[in-house]
Amino acid sequence: MKITRMQSHVLQYDLPEELGYSQQYYARRTAHLVEVSTDEGITGWGECFGPGPIAVANKGIVEGVIAPMVIGMNPMDRDVIWHKVYNLMRDHGQKGMPMQALSGVDVALWDIAGKVMGQPIHNLLGGAHRSKVPAYGYGMMLKRESVQDHVARFEDEVAAILDMGFKATKMKTGLGPEADVQLCAAVARGVEGKGRFMVDANHCYTTSDAFYVGRALDEMGAYWFEEPVAPEDRDGYRELRAGLKTNISGGEAEFGRWGWRDILENRGLDIAQPEVCALGGITEYQRVLALCHAHFTPVVNHVWGSAIAVATNLHLLAAMPPLPGGLFPWEPMLEFDTTHNSFRDELLQDSLNIQAQVSQNGGYVSVPKGPGLGVEPDREFIQKYVLT
Ligand code: CA
């Protein structure tokens, strides 16, 4: 069996309204799908993390850099392919966009392997520790509006997300420490007695500002404080984890086993959030997961993008061993974007119907059972939204 073709499809559409997080506002949604074809007619699908122009540039890496290295190789040789590509790209980028590009290719190879063996990816990984996963709903994004308007909107949105059936929710901050504490207080009031809430700063604070917000979160009972400081600020992470009660989470901007080894040894994370579509794909995710568990750091995957990324993560969450285990063990959650996303809702021939599952099954989502990813994109939909 041989790889015959490797194609990137960058999809894009204009959002009905602009959304924001602490670093920028954005008005378009992008998804970067990778399609790997074989001489036996089996096609695999993967996804690369990275929006807008990042996705367009990553398409150049997938098709212009990685494809010539691997066309003609056996797609079942996932680890051989991974190391060939990584070793040849190492001098030009051990992190960032080359790894995002490799990730989408690797996920597509796992989809092919599952289809060849007639097994879902979670079985290739050793089987399902759980058949369903609780989902948390994220929303409460930033907009160009006043602090008071943010507070009022977050009050409405947290109620709406809980009404959808989610038992946990995540909000953005980034208006400045004092305004951010007001936003967090509104969400804390909204979830009281009904669920838990998490706060995502997308690394907008200095360490001292993160302590100001984090001490308020300690009083409000937030479950985690995500990316409080820049990913490079290892000392900040370690000081915050030692000084706050609230769990410190992060890792979506880290890549590969060597980067993860360093942030785990730094002891700055209570909860690790690896992004499979960025850090190096499923092959590398398995090594990162083992490193996290070797440090007794629980994992809640970072999830972003289309239904391909959601399906990939459902298999990984199913196959994640309990840590440390018990009658009522600590359980991971599926991160789920509740904002407008056609690539999540309409891309597949058979939708995962996550929202319907959440509302009907007490906040839980079942794991796909078909071979490979267990989902297939609709080619007409891809043609309609393809940017390049
Ligand atoms: Ca985040």
Side-chain angles (χ1 to χ4, degrees), residues 52-84:
I54 305 286
V56 174
N58 280 341
K59 175 185 167 82
I61 301 176
V62 170
E63 295 181 347
V65 179
I66 299 177
M69 295 174 185
V70 302
I71 282 176
M73 290 182 76
N74 185 340
M76 300 300 279
D77 293 342
R78 301 180 291 286
D79 194 56
V80 177
I81 290 172
W82 195 96
H83 283 90
K84 178 178 183 181

Side-chain angles (χ1 to χ4, degrees), residues 335-347:
E335 175 168 15
F336 191 77
D337 173 9
T338 65
T339 65
H340 195 279
N341 190 339
S342 299
F343 301 146
R344 176 201 59 209
D345 298 335
E346 299 163 42
L347 170 69

Side-chain angles (χ1 to χ4, degrees), residues 137 157 159-166 338 355-360 363:
E157 274 194 51
I161 289 170
L162 294 173
D163 280 349
M164 291 177 205
F166 292 100
T338 65
Q355 293 96 321
Q357 291 194 53
V358 164
S359 76
Q360 289 157 21

Side-chain angles (χ1 to χ4, degrees), residues 174-314:
L175 302 180
E178 289 176 5
D180 290 342
V181 169
Q182 293 182 50
L183 295 186
C184 295
V187 175
R189 287 192 301 273
V191 298
E192 201 173 351
K194 297 175 190 154
R196 54 189 179 185
F197 80 107
M198 294 80 83
V199 176
D200 188 358
N202 293 100
H203 49 75
C204 66
Y205 299 127
T206 62
T207 301
S208 61
D209 283 350
F211 266 111
Y212 175 86
V213 175
R215 287 189 178 115
L217 295 180
D218 283 353
E219 299 303 310
M220 296 175 201
Y223 182 49
W224 77 56
F225 188 13
E226 178 170 331
E227 288 201 298
V229 294
E232 305 93 323
D233 186 4
R234 302 277 161 83
D235 292 344
Y237 265 98
R238 204 172 50 249
E239 289 161 12
L240 287 161
R241 184 181 180 216
L244 295 175
K245 289 189 281 181
T246 305
N247 290 309
I248 300 297
S249 71
E252 66 182 80
E254 192 52 81
F255 301 84
R257 74 198 81 153
W258 300 283
W260 273 92
R261 173 197 61 194
D262 293 349
I263 62 172
L264 289 162
E265 288 180 351
N266 184 54
R267 308 298 294 165
L269 293 176
D270 291 294
I271 294 171
Q273 296 172 303
E275 167 52 70
V276 65
C277 297
L279 65 77
I282 295 173
T283 300
E284 193 66 359
Y285 172 93
Q286 288 301 101
R287 293 188 262 262
V288 167
L289 176 67
L291 272 176
C292 291
H293 281 189
H295 287 83
F296 290 94
T297 305
V299 173
V300 180
N301 295 351
H302 178 263
V303 185
W304 181 90
S306 82
I308 296 292
V310 173
T312 304
N313 277 284
L314 280 170

